[in-house]
């Protein structure tokens, strides 16, 4: 149990505040997604921000609140900081998260938790050892679309789920003007980091988190990756594979065809096929993408039209008021809000360390693209929370 300088445990410290105090470390492109959506969560208070580029922290706090911290040590020494939100580049994730945990702070990290599974596991163990909460993006499982889909699957609207088709193909990135992309505060999109990280490490989690929340941990999988547009990244070296295909089998027996890529035209859809119909979301990057239900219909004669026309399902949760209306609506603040609530309830966040570690493990295996079926040592089922009761 990590005790702070005035002798309080993390929980006592949190409960002593009416709200949970949050500091952002790293105020680059993605920080605008967070700053813009934080007012949705009144139990979170932006205490401030720090960036090694001081001007970025200054403009962040001017826009979204709190004060600019001078360095990491100042944050770590501040007993009023409950949660560190780690929005640094991937290569910095482990060191910043480790420093925060060692200082007794709870951590919400952008994905991935760390650059290697060993480092991520070490962070998870450190958090457990110190009774601190650790959680990680993506948090789109909290979107209206995800919550509505999960409830529909759980309620048995499509009977037993058997197959899922999931895609996070964002279009041919190499042919887009990605060097000109700017956040709302004018911060350039860091293509020099994202492209070498590759499509799997950047984007697989958006589909995997939904699939694992519905069907349980992955028990068997195969992945294949390739670099299709190697010659098209002018001036960029160390480009990671831009196309990945995965074949996954989940604990409840559902199987999935997954594609993640920067080659094929945009397709960010997820379809779940059950024996009583199908459920589809057209875009998992839009918090309010409609959930379409097709019931199994009576057929006669030689027809393959065994499904009724698509019907939109009413959303089971309200929309968030504050949205970052750039290209996609990722409900990013929802993950910090979940961690904040978990703190007050003395519980683990839905995106628990074991859940995040499993998403990461599957992502690394997919990125490795070995092309052979692997049996996974799955986390205990009570370590990975499920949104759908089985
Ligand atoms: N760019 C996106 O569209 C996007 C979307 C969702 C999630 N993410 C994730 O968000 C994270 C950040 O991405 P980004 O696009 O904002 O990157 P970015 O490079 O624009 O911003 C990172 C910031 O962190 C600062 N920094 C680096 N090391 C630091 C340290 N040790 N302490 C404090 N500040 C430090 C940098 O100066 C920079 O301002 C990554 O994990 C990325 O995967 C990015």
């Amino acid at each position: 149990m990590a005790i702070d300088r005035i002798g309080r445990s993390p929980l006592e410290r949190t409960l002593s505040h009416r709200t949970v105090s949050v500091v952002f470390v790293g105020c680059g492109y993605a920080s605008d997604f967070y700053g813009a959506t934080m007012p949705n969560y009144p139990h979170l208070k932006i205490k401030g921000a720090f960036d090694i580029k001081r001007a970025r922290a200054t403009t962040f706090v001017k826009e979204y609140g709190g004060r600019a911290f001078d360095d990491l040590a100042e944050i770590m020494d501040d007993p009023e900081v409950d949660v560190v939100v780690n929005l640094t580049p991937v290569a910095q994730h482990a060191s910043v998260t480790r420093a925060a945990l060692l200082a007794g702070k709870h951590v919400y990290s952008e994905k991935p938790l760390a650059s290697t599974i060993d480092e991520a596991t070490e962070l998870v163990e450190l958090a457990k050892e110190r009774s601190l909460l650790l959680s990680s993006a993506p948090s789109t499982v909290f979107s209206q679309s995800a919550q509505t889909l999960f409830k529909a699957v759980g309620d048995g609207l499509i009977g037993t789920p058997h197959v899922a088709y999931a895609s996070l193909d964002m279009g041919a990135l190499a042919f887009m003007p990605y060097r000109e992309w700017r956040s709302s505060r004018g911060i350039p999109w860091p293509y020099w980091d994202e492209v070498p990280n590759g499509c799997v490490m950047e984007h697989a989690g958006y589909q995997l988190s939904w699939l694992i929340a519905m069907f349980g941990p992955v028990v068997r999988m195969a992945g294949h990756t390739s670099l299709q547009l190697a010659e098209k990244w002018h001036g960029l070296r160390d480009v990671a594979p831009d196309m990945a295909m995965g074949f996954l089998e989940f604990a409840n027996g559902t199987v999935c065809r997954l594609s993640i890529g920067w080659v094929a035209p945009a397709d960010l859809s997820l379809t779940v096929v059950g024996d009583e119909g199908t459920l589809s979301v057209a875009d998992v990057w839009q918090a309010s993408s409609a959930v379409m239900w097709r019931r199994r219909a009576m057929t006669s004669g030689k027809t393959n039209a065994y499904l009724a026309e698509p019907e939109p399902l009413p959303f089971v949760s309200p929309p968030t008021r504050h949205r970052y209306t750039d290209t996609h609506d990722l409900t990013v603040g929802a993950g910090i809000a979940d961690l904040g609530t978990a703190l007050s309830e003395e519980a683990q966040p839905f995106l628990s360390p074991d859940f995040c570690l499993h998403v990461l493990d599957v992502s690394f295996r997919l990125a490795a693209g070995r092309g052979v079926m692997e049996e996974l040592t799955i986390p205990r089922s009570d370590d990975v929370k499920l949104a759908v009761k089985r």
Side-chain angles (χ1 to χ4, degrees):
M1 173 80 67
I3 301 294
D4 74 6
R5 289 195 294 168
I6 55 170
R8 296 173 306 172
S9 71
L11 183 65
E12 285 165 337
R13 209 161 67 230
T14 302
L15 293 179
S16 69
H17 301 309
R18 277 186 58 241
T19 52
V20 174
S21 288
V22 173
V23 169
F24 289 89
V25 176
C27 303
Y29 187 92
S31 68
D32 279 323
F33 298 21
Y34 283 85
T37 54
M38 287 291 280
N40 288 318
Y41 313 104
H43 63 303
L44 303 179
K45 177 179 168 220
I46 301 182
K47 176 95 176 144
F50 166 63
D51 194 298
I52 48 173
K53 294 183 175 168
R54 168 104 195 162
R56 291 189 170 186
T58 311
T59 57
F60 181 90
V61 297
K62 188 164 174 233
E63 183 93 23
Y64 305 116
R67 69 175 177 93
F69 283 76
D70 288 334
D71 52 29
L72 262 188
E74 195 193 358
I75 298 170
M76 304 312 169
D77 286 346
D78 187 337
E80 302 222 316
V81 174
D82 298 310
V83 178
V84 167
V85 179
N86 185 351
L87 302 185
T88 59
V90 174
Q92 307 295 315
H93 283 184
S95 62
V96 170
T97 294
R98 188 181 301 110
L101 292 172
L102 287 172
K105 308 298 182 195
H106 307 283
V107 178
Y108 184 82
S109 172
E110 250 304 334
K111 41 91 188 144
L113 265 180
S115 314
T116 66
I117 199 71
D118 287 346
E119 261 183 331
T121 306
E122 179 210 312
L123 295 175
V124 166
E125 281 166 7
L126 183 61
K128 283 182 183 169
E129 219 171 80
R130 300 195 158 228
S131 303
L132 292 163
L133 299 187
L134 173 61
S135 184
S136 164
S139 61
T140 48
V141 289
F142 300 111
S143 73
Q144 282 189 298
S145 304
Q147 293 292 313
T148 304
L149 175 68
F150 298 167
K151 180 157 190 330
V153 172
D155 286 351
L157 240 60
I158 55 167
T160 303
H162 292 285
V163 176
Y165 288 160
S167 301
L168 215 303
D169 288 304
M170 72 166 278
L173 181 54
F175 302 144
M176 298 180 196
Y178 58 88
R179 289 169 197 243
E180 294 160 26
W181 293 348
R182 298 287 182 273
S183 76
S184 60
R185 261 161 53 248
I187 297 184
W189 186 65
Y191 60 87
W192 53 89
D193 273 334
E194 295 236 357
V195 176
N197 287 340
C199 59
V200 176
M201 296 318 296
E202 290 294 340
H203 293 156
Y206 290 105
Q207 287 286 8
L208 289 174
S209 53
W210 291 39
L211 294 163
I212 292 165
M214 282 188 286
F215 309 136
V218 175
V219 292
R220 268 157 48 93
M221 65 173 287
H224 178 270
T225 58
S226 64
L227 180 54
Q228 294 293 327
L229 299 179
E231 310 305 319
K232 309 296 179 188
W233 298 98
H234 304 293
L236 275 179
R237 283 180 299 156
D238 302 326
V239 177
D242 51 17
M243 192 61 227
M245 313 245 188
F247 303 94
L248 313 171
E249 184 182 326
F250 295 86
N252 77 341
T254 305
V255 292
C256 171
R257 181 197 70 191
L258 175 67
S259 87
I260 312 284
W262 292 340
V263 180
D267 177 357
L268 297 100
S269 66
L270 171 59
T271 295
V272 183
V273 181
D275 41 32
E276 294 295 333
T278 67
L279 287 160
S280 302
V281 172
D283 186 345
V284 296
W285 268 359
Q286 299 296 353
S288 303
S289 187
V291 180
M292 305 303 287
W293 177 31
R294 298 188 71 181
R295 308 159 194 253
R296 186 156 63 82
M298 294 301 287
T299 55
S300 59
K302 282 188 172 176
T303 172
N304 57 10
Y306 72 99
L307 293 171
E309 287 302 304
E311 302 168 50
L313 292 180
F315 287 124
V316 298
S317 53
T320 47
R321 274 188 60 212
H322 302 272
R323 292 171 173 223
Y324 185 63
T325 47
D326 188 23
T327 48
H328 31 267
D329 182 5
L330 293 176
T331 51
V332 288
I336 313 173
D338 178 51
L339 184 136
T341 307
L343 261 179
S344 350
E345 293 176 359
E346 217 176 328
Q348 280 294 326
F350 180 82
L351 297 170
S352 66
D354 292 303
F355 187 100
C356 300
L357 203 55
H358 183 59
V359 170
L360 193 58
D361 184 24
V362 175
S363 305
F364 278 126
R365 289 169 193 270
L366 188 58
R370 294 190 186 92
V372 291
M373 208 69 180
E374 297 178 72
E375 303 278 340
L376 270 61
T377 313
I378 59 163
R380 287 200 328 266
S381 56
D382 53 350
D383 287 340
V384 172
K385 287 194 195 176
L386 301 176
V388 173
K389 299 273 174 286
R390 283 183 281 132

PDB file of all heavy atoms in Angstrom, residues 227-239:
ATOM      1  N   LEU A 227       3.906  -5.506 -44.975  1.00  0.00           N
ATOM      2  CA  LEU A 227       4.097  -4.097 -45.329  1.00  0.00           C
ATOM      3  C   LEU A 227       3.819  -3.976 -46.817  1.00  0.00           C
ATOM      4  O   LEU A 227       4.596  -4.445 -47.648  1.00  0.00           O
ATOM      5  CB  LEU A 227       5.527  -3.661 -44.980  1.00  0.00           C
ATOM      6  CG  LEU A 227       5.898  -2.212 -45.289  1.00  0.00           C
ATOM      7  CD1 LEU A 227       4.916  -1.224 -44.661  1.00  0.00           C
ATOM      8  CD2 LEU A 227       7.307  -1.917 -44.802  1.00  0.00           C
ATOM      9  N   GLN A 228       2.678  -3.401 -47.138  1.00  0.00           N
ATOM     10  CA  GLN A 228       2.233  -3.353 -48.533  1.00  0.00           C
ATOM     11  C   GLN A 228       2.686  -2.080 -49.250  1.00  0.00           C
ATOM     12  O   GLN A 228       2.964  -2.104 -50.440  1.00  0.00           O
ATOM     13  CB  GLN A 228       0.694  -3.444 -48.582  1.00  0.00           C
ATOM     14  CG  GLN A 228       0.148  -4.774 -48.110  1.00  0.00           C
ATOM     15  CD  GLN A 228       0.516  -5.913 -49.047  1.00  0.00           C
ATOM     16  OE1 GLN A 228       0.624  -5.724 -50.257  1.00  0.00           O
ATOM     17  NE2 GLN A 228       0.723  -7.090 -48.503  1.00  0.00           N
ATOM     18  N   LEU A 229       2.727  -0.958 -48.547  1.00  0.00           N
ATOM     19  CA  LEU A 229       3.001   0.316 -49.211  1.00  0.00           C
ATOM     20  C   LEU A 229       4.367   0.874 -48.795  1.00  0.00           C
ATOM     21  O   LEU A 229       4.529   2.082 -48.577  1.00  0.00           O
ATOM     22  CB  LEU A 229       1.879   1.322 -48.899  1.00  0.00           C
ATOM     23  CG  LEU A 229       0.473   0.913 -49.367  1.00  0.00           C
ATOM     24  CD1 LEU A 229      -0.563   1.964 -48.975  1.00  0.00           C
ATOM     25  CD2 LEU A 229       0.429   0.682 -50.875  1.00  0.00           C
ATOM     26  N   ALA A 230       5.345  -0.020 -48.688  1.00  0.00           N
ATOM     27  CA  ALA A 230       6.673   0.350 -48.176  1.00  0.00           C
ATOM     28  C   ALA A 230       7.273   1.547 -48.900  1.00  0.00           C
ATOM     29  O   ALA A 230       7.924   2.398 -48.292  1.00  0.00           O
ATOM     30  CB  ALA A 230       7.601  -0.844 -48.276  1.00  0.00           C
ATOM     31  N   GLU A 231       7.059   1.620 -50.206  1.00  0.00           N
ATOM     32  CA  GLU A 231       7.724   2.664 -51.008  1.00  0.00           C
ATOM     33  C   GLU A 231       7.012   4.003 -50.945  1.00  0.00           C
ATOM     34  O   GLU A 231       7.483   4.987 -51.518  1.00  0.00           O
ATOM     35  CB  GLU A 231       7.791   2.229 -52.485  1.00  0.00           C
ATOM     36  CG  GLU A 231       8.339   0.825 -52.717  1.00  0.00           C
ATOM     37  CD  GLU A 231       9.693   0.649 -52.086  1.00  0.00           C
ATOM     38  OE1 GLU A 231      10.519   1.564 -52.170  1.00  0.00           O
ATOM     39  OE2 GLU A 231       9.911  -0.422 -51.461  1.00  0.00           O
ATOM     40  N   LYS A 232       5.849   4.041 -50.307  1.00  0.00           N
ATOM     41  CA  LYS A 232       5.017   5.245 -50.411  1.00  0.00           C
ATOM     42  C   LYS A 232       5.176   6.220 -49.250  1.00  0.00           C
ATOM     43  O   LYS A 232       4.556   7.269 -49.225  1.00  0.00           O
ATOM     44  CB  LYS A 232       3.522   4.855 -50.514  1.00  0.00           C
ATOM     45  CG  LYS A 232       3.223   3.830 -51.590  1.00  0.00           C
ATOM     46  CD  LYS A 232       3.536   4.385 -52.966  1.00  0.00           C
ATOM     47  CE  LYS A 232       3.246   3.342 -54.034  1.00  0.00           C
ATOM     48  NZ  LYS A 232       3.705   3.771 -55.373  1.00  0.00           N
ATOM     49  N   TRP A 233       5.978   5.830 -48.235  1.00  0.00           N
ATOM     50  CA  TRP A 233       6.153   6.699 -47.067  1.00  0.00           C
ATOM     51  C   TRP A 233       7.374   7.568 -47.304  1.00  0.00           C
ATOM     52  O   TRP A 233       8.430   7.319 -46.732  1.00  0.00           O
ATOM     53  CB  TRP A 233       6.339   5.864 -45.804  1.00  0.00           C
ATOM     54  CG  TRP A 233       5.188   4.993 -45.461  1.00  0.00           C
ATOM     55  CD1 TRP A 233       5.058   3.673 -45.734  1.00  0.00           C
ATOM     56  CD2 TRP A 233       3.989   5.388 -44.784  1.00  0.00           C
ATOM     57  NE1 TRP A 233       3.847   3.216 -45.262  1.00  0.00           N
ATOM     58  CE2 TRP A 233       3.174   4.248 -44.673  1.00  0.00           C
ATOM     59  CE3 TRP A 233       3.515   6.594 -44.252  1.00  0.00           C
ATOM     60  CZ2 TRP A 233       1.924   4.280 -44.064  1.00  0.00           C
ATOM     61  CZ3 TRP A 233       2.276   6.617 -43.647  1.00  0.00           C
ATOM     62  CH2 TRP A 233       1.500   5.469 -43.564  1.00  0.00           C
ATOM     63  N   HIS A 234       7.233   8.618 -48.099  1.00  0.00           N
ATOM     64  CA  HIS A 234       8.411   9.383 -48.513  1.00  0.00           C
ATOM     65  C   HIS A 234       9.170   9.940 -47.312  1.00  0.00           C
ATOM     66  O   HIS A 234       8.611  10.646 -46.490  1.00  0.00           O
ATOM     67  CB  HIS A 234       7.987  10.506 -49.455  1.00  0.00           C
ATOM     68  CG  HIS A 234       7.232   9.959 -50.630  1.00  0.00           C
ATOM     69  ND1 HIS A 234       7.831   9.156 -51.580  1.00  0.00           N
ATOM     70  CD2 HIS A 234       5.926  10.042 -50.970  1.00  0.00           C
ATOM     71  CE1 HIS A 234       6.923   8.777 -52.463  1.00  0.00           C
ATOM     72  NE2 HIS A 234       5.756   9.297 -52.118  1.00  0.00           N
ATOM     73  N   GLY A 235      10.449   9.586 -47.259  1.00  0.00           N
ATOM     74  CA  GLY A 235      11.303  10.144 -46.212  1.00  0.00           C
ATOM     75  C   GLY A 235      11.157   9.473 -44.853  1.00  0.00           C
ATOM     76  O   GLY A 235      11.853   9.845 -43.905  1.00  0.00           O
ATOM     77  N   LEU A 236      10.257   8.492 -44.730  1.00  0.00           N
ATOM     78  CA  LEU A 236      10.096   7.819 -43.423  1.00  0.00           C
ATOM     79  C   LEU A 236      10.779   6.463 -43.468  1.00  0.00           C
ATOM     80  O   LEU A 236      10.543   5.675 -44.381  1.00  0.00           O
ATOM     81  CB  LEU A 236       8.618   7.610 -43.106  1.00  0.00           C
ATOM     82  CG  LEU A 236       7.858   8.758 -42.457  1.00  0.00           C
ATOM     83  CD1 LEU A 236       6.413   8.359 -42.240  1.00  0.00           C
ATOM     84  CD2 LEU A 236       8.489   9.162 -41.130  1.00  0.00           C
ATOM     85  N   ARG A 237      11.643   6.236 -42.459  1.00  0.00           N
ATOM     86  CA  ARG A 237      12.264   4.918 -42.376  1.00  0.00           C
ATOM     87  C   ARG A 237      11.613   4.133 -41.245  1.00  0.00           C
ATOM     88  O   ARG A 237      10.793   4.679 -40.509  1.00  0.00           O
ATOM     89  CB  ARG A 237      13.767   5.085 -42.126  1.00  0.00           C
ATOM     90  CG  ARG A 237      14.495   5.497 -43.408  1.00  0.00           C
ATOM     91  CD  ARG A 237      15.962   5.661 -43.164  1.00  0.00           C
ATOM     92  NE  ARG A 237      16.196   6.698 -42.169  1.00  0.00           N
ATOM     93  CZ  ARG A 237      17.289   6.780 -41.413  1.00  0.00           C
ATOM     94  NH1 ARG A 237      18.232   5.896 -41.543  1.00  0.00           N
ATOM     95  NH2 ARG A 237      17.440   7.754 -40.534  1.00  0.00           N
ATOM     96  N   ASP A 238      11.973   2.891 -41.087  1.00  0.00           N
ATOM     97  CA  ASP A 238      11.434   2.058 -39.993  1.00  0.00           C
ATOM     98  C   ASP A 238       9.907   2.023 -39.990  1.00  0.00           C
ATOM     99  O   ASP A 238       9.270   2.171 -38.940  1.00  0.00           O
ATOM    100  CB  ASP A 238      11.900   2.565 -38.619  1.00  0.00           C
ATOM    101  CG  ASP A 238      13.406   2.593 -38.515  1.00  0.00           C
ATOM    102  OD1 ASP A 238      14.037   1.703 -39.113  1.00  0.00           O
ATOM    103  OD2 ASP A 238      13.920   3.502 -37.856  1.00  0.00           O
ATOM    104  N   VAL A 239       9.327   1.903 -41.169  1.00  0.00           N
ATOM    105  CA  VAL A 239       7.869   1.839 -41.233  1.00  0.00           C
ATOM    106  C   VAL A 239       7.435   0.429 -40.823  1.00  0.00           C
ATOM    107  O   VAL A 239       7.994  -0.557 -41.288  1.00  0.00           O
ATOM    108  CB  VAL A 239       7.382   2.158 -42.664  1.00  0.00           C
ATOM    109  CG1 VAL A 239       5.876   2.015 -42.763  1.00  0.00           C
ATOM    110  CG2 VAL A 239       7.811   3.571 -43.051  1.00  0.00           C
TER     111      VAL A 239
END
